Amino acid sequence: MITVQGFEGRRVGVLGLGRSGLATCAALRAGGADVCAWDDSPEGRAKAEAEGFSPVDLTKSGAVDDLAALITSPGIPHLYPAPHPVIAAASAAGVPVDNDISLFFQALADSDDAPRVVCVTGSNGKSTTTALIAHLLEEAGREVRMAGNIGTGVLSIDLPGDEGVVVLELSSYQTDLARRLAPDVAVFTNLSPDHLDRHGGMGGYFAAKRRLFSEGAPERAVIGVDEAEGRYLAMQLGQGAADSRVIRISSGQKLQGPGWSVFARKGFLAEWRGGRQVHAIDLRPLAGLPGAHNHQNACAAYAAVRALGLAPRQIEAGLASFQGLPHRSQLVGERNGVRFVNDSKATNVDSAAKALQAFPRIRWIAGGLGKEGGIAALAPYLGSVVKAYMIGHSARDFALQLGAIPHEICETMENAVARASAEAEPGEVVLLAPAAASFDQYPDFEKRGAHFTALVQGLAEA
């Protein structure tokens, strides 16, 4: 655990008592703060009590007025679509509002032997890129801690020793609020519309991501330039085309110029520096990184660890041993020549499009709690779909947007897996890429993916 100093004997509010909130409470208490913990749910407050914290109702009038700071969990709105009442009260009282990511960087600033820190943000591919960076470093013999949006509260980790690295996945919710950001290497994967209500539109969403670079001032920035926002960010950060502090990455286009770039085309990753190719890797055999979207993740991870001093051959060996993450283009079974792939994390149209481009013949399971626009934007990517099997709340709405694509309304995952597996032929892939949230039938995308995986394993045992 990291001890947060600077609040000895002072009242500090913690709003939201999930995994990161409880870790924040413990880190503040270890540093001598008087922790005022609050969660709107009785379940959250009960968890805090079990950890030895007595909840303090911060919603009461005047409860936040004498706080030294209010530390809030990332899922709680602080501006759009409307600030949480406790945050609004803190803002009105002049109380600084911050988050655990900021406290982490504050703690590192007070350390004499702080580790190197890599931060990864973007719309899609953050988790895979984060895990791949950590894997490549570990395979090269470096001590690594992985935390942030990927599931571990950053203040709950123990800092690595000499030559160690902390790798953080950061969502826009986290980068938007953090008062202190100071990564050594910062990665921007890509940008597509998401969380727009939380950021007041696309401009606010990009601005939240951009803070990691504008406020963080990393020594090295790895920037995906396949969208206009990434190209703009790379231009802003660089001091000219040859500035090697910016490493441009792409999936699908060859990057020109005298600077430092890493790109993937037709399944091959290439690193270029000073106008010449330094190294190339064939990504096509890598089972843990299928498809162009994962090739972009590979480029981002490759660039990040190159910036930390790893040699190309070390990276190539690490890429070959990477098994991928659960629920992200995860091969969960094979039966009679048919592969079953779990991409439950594909909760929006953009991530589903990437999954649909990764395989040639697909039995597609999709649906759930659809987002604005449904799946209309996926029309250019449905050429590989043999048949679609629609589930969940949006099944019928999605079916109406499929045009001439053969489809079936299955409603439940059980029916969809049974029908798809019965009709699939050797060489085809049964792909779960819902293009929708899970909350109509499952508490989260992990539970949805786990259910799909269990059903597939049940087929193998039948």
Side-chain angles (χ1 to χ4, degrees), residues 8-34:
E8 293 84 352
R10 305 167 74 191
R11 297 179 77 240
V12 179
V14 177
L15 179 63
L17 301 175
R19 184 186 298 116
S20 66
L22 289 175
T24 300
C25 288
L28 286 165
R29 181 171 61 183
D34 178 9

Side-chain angles (χ1 to χ4, degrees), residues 1 78 118 163 346 404 449 452:
M1 181 183 69
H78 57 270
V118 180
E163 300 298 315
F452 173 77

Side-chain angles (χ1 to χ4, degrees), residues 96-376:
V97 179
D98 211 341
N99 64 13
D100 62 330
I101 301 301
S102 182
L103 295 182
F104 165 77
F105 281 112
Q106 177 182 319
L108 288 197
D110 296 334
S111 174
D112 294 330
D113 54 351
R116 305 275 280 172
V117 180
V118 180
C119 292
V120 180
T121 196
S123 295
N124 297 302
K126 296 188 299 297
S127 295
T128 296
T129 300
T130 300
L132 182 54
I133 291 170
H135 174 80
L136 294 174
L137 290 167
E138 287 173 340
E139 290 294 292
R142 304 282 285 272
E143 187 179 2
V144 179
R145 302 287 185 270
M146 185 170 63
N149 195 56
I150 203 165
T152 301
V154 66
L155 295 176
S156 67
I157 67 172
D158 294 322
L159 293 179
D162 291 345
E163 300 298 315
V165 181
V166 176
V167 187
L168 301 180
E169 177 191 339
L170 299 183
S171 72
S172 58
Y173 296 174
Q174 293 167 309
T175 57
D176 194 22
L177 187 61
R179 297 165 69 90
R180 184 191 291 265
L181 292 163
D184 296 288
V185 178
V187 179
F188 177 87
T189 58
N190 50 57
L191 198 77
S192 61
D194 209 359
H195 310 304
L196 300 190
D197 60 333
R198 179 67 182 268
H199 296 292
M202 194 68 176
Y205 179 47
F206 176 51
K209 300 286 189 186
R210 183 178 173 274
R211 287 192 76 249
L212 180 62
F213 302 85
S214 60
E215 302 293 327
E219 294 176 10
R220 195 83 66 178
V222 177
I223 309 293
V225 295
D226 289 334
E227 293 87 29
E229 292 86 355
R231 293 189 291 274
Y232 175 79
L233 181 58
M235 177 273 295
Q236 279 203 316
L237 295 173
Q239 297 299 316
D243 188 350
S244 63
R245 291 175 300 176
V246 178
I247 308 176
R248 292 167 171 82
I249 64 165
S250 173
S251 176
Q253 60 175 317
K254 181 178 179 179
L255 299 179
Q256 307 285 344
W260 194 351
S261 63
V262 180
F263 57 87
R265 293 181 71 216
K266 299 180 180 179
F268 286 85
L269 178 151
E271 177 189 3
W272 282 66
R273 296 184 73 172
R276 66 182 184 88
Q277 182 171 301
V278 175
H279 195 70
I281 300 174
D282 186 356
L283 301 174
R284 295 172 300 174
L286 305 183
L289 294 165
H293 62 305
N294 275 310
H295 293 174
Q296 184 188 55
N297 299 335
C299 290
Y302 180 101
V305 297
R306 282 288 278 146
L308 292 174
L310 265 62
R313 293 297 180 188
Q314 289 177 294
I315 302 170
E316 187 168 0
L319 290 172
S321 61
F322 184 66
Q323 297 300 309
L325 285 179
H327 317 299
R328 297 160 178 85
S329 295
Q330 177 193 16
L331 179 64
V332 296
E334 188 167 347
R335 182 172 182 262
N336 300 328
V338 177
R339 289 179 291 163
F340 293 80
V341 174
N342 166 25
D343 205 333
S344 182
K345 184 63 168 66
T347 58
N348 59 38
V349 163
D350 189 67
S351 53
K354 290 176 169 60
L356 289 167
Q357 294 174 78
F359 308 100
R361 290 180 57 80
I362 296 171
R363 301 276 173 173
W364 180 34
I365 299 176
L369 192 61
K371 299 184 178 181
E372 185 177 354
I375 57 170

